[in-house]
Amino acid sequence: MTVIAAYNIKGGVGKTSTAVNLAYCAAQQGHQTLIWDLDPQGASSYYFRIKAKVKGGGKSLVAGDRDLDALIKGTDFENLDMLPADFSFRNLDLRLDERKKPTRRLQKLLKPLREEYQLIFLDCPPNISLLSEAVFEAADILLSPVIPTSLSIRSLAQLKRFLEEHKLKNLKLMPFLSMADRRKKMHREVMAHLVEDYPELLETVIPCASDIERMGLERMPVAVFAGKSRASEAYRALWREVEQAIR
């Protein structure tokens, strides 16, 4: 089982669209895939037409009162299941803080799913918190979308420094450019220089595309309603890069 977290300290950079579209790509290749919506906003749950509600809420889930398996819902797509969000997830930091070894709690909760799923995608809320640290312990790959702007790159630098300081050796950071608009001079300039500072940057660039925004209307991954679009091909290319890294 490989755990892939779509994460960035900064919000609005494309974490949810990344988790949703890559989970779909993986499932289409026959991988048994689960996406866990950890963001109380419940956007990935919404995209998959699943109600953002978990019986017992975040408190019961973190306490281990309920098996994750019993909370998992099927999506409309073969090989792809979802553990939906719940608004109570806004307090997950507090619930984790009530437990012993809180940063290892997520990893422990996921362990029983090891035999059932080959891939688990975590759609993470922004910010850096106790929940983020639990995600870092549970994940194998931190897939971090970065908009080619100063603030977004600053967030990537903060994340990289945090991971280095906390010696998270088993966690692989894989940043990539997201919502890139080559019509903008600043985006072009940042994209030209970013690879020099971040050699781990993936080659795929996710464009700023209306098809990605349409996910909110269609409530499904881009490839389902715009399979030949630029955005759809970009997510397929991104998944190929990630898949190559986990082989």
Side-chain angles (χ1 to χ4, degrees):
M1 183 179 80
T2 301
V3 179
I4 301 170
Y7 174 83
N8 193 313
I9 295 173
K10 193 175 182 309
V13 297
K15 295 182 298 297
T16 294
S17 57
T18 299
V20 167
N21 286 295
L22 265 59
Y24 175 80
C25 289
Q28 287 296 294
Q29 288 188 332
H31 299 297
Q32 291 298 322
T33 304
L34 174 73
I35 179 169
W36 186 357
D37 188 354
L38 285 166
D39 193 331
Q41 296 178 73
S44 57
S45 304
Y46 179 82
Y47 284 153
F48 283 116
R49 303 169 185 261
I50 291 175
K51 187 176 181 180
K53 183 72 179 174
V54 171
K55 195 171 184 179
K59 183 176 182 179
S60 177
L61 189 151
V62 170
D65 293 339
R66 299 178 186 277
D67 291 336
L68 287 194
D69 205 34
L71 303 174
I72 290 171
K73 309 288 184 184
T75 71
D76 293 335
F77 308 104
E78 194 173 0
N79 304 320
L80 182 54
D81 294 334
M82 161 160 270
L83 185 52
D86 189 279
F87 196 57
S88 65
F89 286 4
R90 68 192 187 280
N91 295 321
L92 278 183
D93 284 327
L94 298 175
R95 301 310 174 204
L96 285 169
D97 199 36
E98 294 168 354
R99 314 302 302 183
K100 293 180 180 177
K101 299 179 180 178
T103 60
R104 297 185 181 177
R105 191 65 188 162
L106 216 58
Q107 188 179 45
K108 186 175 181 180
L109 290 170
L110 289 172
K111 195 172 181 180
L113 302 178
R114 184 174 295 274
E115 299 300 321
E116 194 170 347
Y117 294 101
Q118 295 167 283
L119 293 163
I120 295 180
F121 286 83
L122 305 178
D123 181 18
C124 305
N127 213 332
I128 191 157
S129 62
L130 191 56
L131 173 61
S132 308
E133 293 186 59
V135 166
F136 299 160
E137 289 285 347
D140 301 291
I141 291 174
L142 211 56
L143 198 54
S144 190
V146 181
I147 301 175
T149 62
S150 302
L151 287 179
S152 191
I153 293 168
R154 180 173 175 268
S155 297
L156 175 60
Q158 290 174 325
L159 174 60
K160 190 171 179 178
R161 187 163 56 248
F162 182 93
L163 298 180
E164 289 170 353
E165 290 174 355
H166 288 75
K167 297 181 171 56
L168 293 158
K169 297 177 181 176
N170 296 324
L171 181 62
K172 186 171 186 177
L173 175 62
M174 299 178 72
F176 65 96
L177 285 164
S178 170
M179 302 168 67
D181 188 344
R182 296 182 189 276
R183 295 169 300 181
K184 295 180 179 178
K185 183 181 178 183
M186 186 180 71
H187 281 207
R188 292 197 304 273
E189 290 176 349
V190 170
M191 290 164 68
H193 294 98
L194 195 60
V195 71
E196 297 173 10
D197 298 327
Y198 297 93
E200 66 270 46
L201 192 74
L202 298 180
E203 291 183 5
T204 302
V205 175
I206 303 298
C208 181
S210 58
D211 285 326
I212 298 174
E213 295 177 347
R214 276 183 57 204
M215 287 173 62
L217 293 175
E218 304 289 348
R219 298 186 69 180
M220 57 186 69
V222 172
V224 180
F225 64 88
K228 296 181 180 179
S229 66
R230 210 163 43 108
S232 180
E233 179 49 42
Y235 281 119
R236 280 194 288 268
L238 182 61
W239 170 240
R240 286 195 293 270
E241 278 199 79
V242 175
E243 187 183 29
Q244 187 69 29
I246 61 179
R247 278 179 180 169

